[in-house]
């Protein structure tokens, strides 16, 4: 079973997170940051994974530590659940329209961490979520999952739509990458290791 559960406690956050790559339920997100909960729920639904997150953080400071640390733990859990990555497609790409916005995510579960992020947000806050944290979350996710992740807003105006298109596109690209392909024997690499 491709699943993992991680608990991580620091002086800034206390996080319990579980993923199952082969089930779609349950999805239950509680971080104390409403917009972020919405984005993680979209990410889980579009990647068709079970994801439960219970996070308590120092929100009296701001939501930075909570968002970044959830990205760290989610990346670690996904990496653990993938195991040796035998049989997976490895790559995934998705374009997601959200009204006037078009977002793109392309990723490689290569074992090498890299983020390319091309998105600007005119609105600095969405609820108690700073829009600059979209990049912080994906940076933490990419580095802890050890994947190449390229994110881009091709066009758009609304900050909510831009963030949502990136979370959805990343979820859909991840689903493509983690899907087991019966035509792939071992790992999808000439190195024999990912």
């Amino acid at each position: 079973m491709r699943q993992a559960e991680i608990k991580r406690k620091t002086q800034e956050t206390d996080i319990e997170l579980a993923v199952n790559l082969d089930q779609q339920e349950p999805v239950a997100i509680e971080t104390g940051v409403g917009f972020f909960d919405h984005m993680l729920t979209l990410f889980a639904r579009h990647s068709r994974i079970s994801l439960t997150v219970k996070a308590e953080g120092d929100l009296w400071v701001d939501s930075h530590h909570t968002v970044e640390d959830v990205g760290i733990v989610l990346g670690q859990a996904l990496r653990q659940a993938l195991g040796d990555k035998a049989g997976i497609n490895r790559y995934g790409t998705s374009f997601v329209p959200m009204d006037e916005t078009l977002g793109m995510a392309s990723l490689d579960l290569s074992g090498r961490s890299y983020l390319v992020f091309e998105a600007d947000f005119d609105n600095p806050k969405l609820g108690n979520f700073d829009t600059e944290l979209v990049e912080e979350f994906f940076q933490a996710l990419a580095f802890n999952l050890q994947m190449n992740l390229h994110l881009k807003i091709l066009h758009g105006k609304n900050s909510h739509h831009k963030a949502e298109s990136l979370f959805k596109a990343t979820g859909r690209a991840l689903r493509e990458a983690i899907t087991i392909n019966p035509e792939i024997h071992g790992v999808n690499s000439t190195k024999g290791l990912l």
Side-chain angles (χ1 to χ4, degrees), residues 65-127:
H65 297 141
T66 299
V67 171
E68 182 178 33
D69 287 6
V70 168
I72 290 169
V73 176
L74 178 57
Q76 291 171 348
L78 289 168
R79 190 175 82 236
Q80 184 178 322
L82 281 166
D84 66 3
K85 305 177 192 170
I88 66 167
N89 283 322
R90 173 181 169 179
Y91 298 97
T93 298
S94 181
F95 290 83
V96 170
M98 182 72 194
D99 296 344
E100 86 296 344
T101 295
L102 180 61
M104 181 276 295
S106 190
L107 61 87
D108 174 11
L109 298 174
S110 61
R112 297 184 308 277
S113 305
Y114 205 89
L115 175 68
V116 175
F117 187 88
E118 295 182 23
D120 295 314
F121 299 94
D122 293 331
N123 191 343
K125 285 187 96 60
L126 295 164

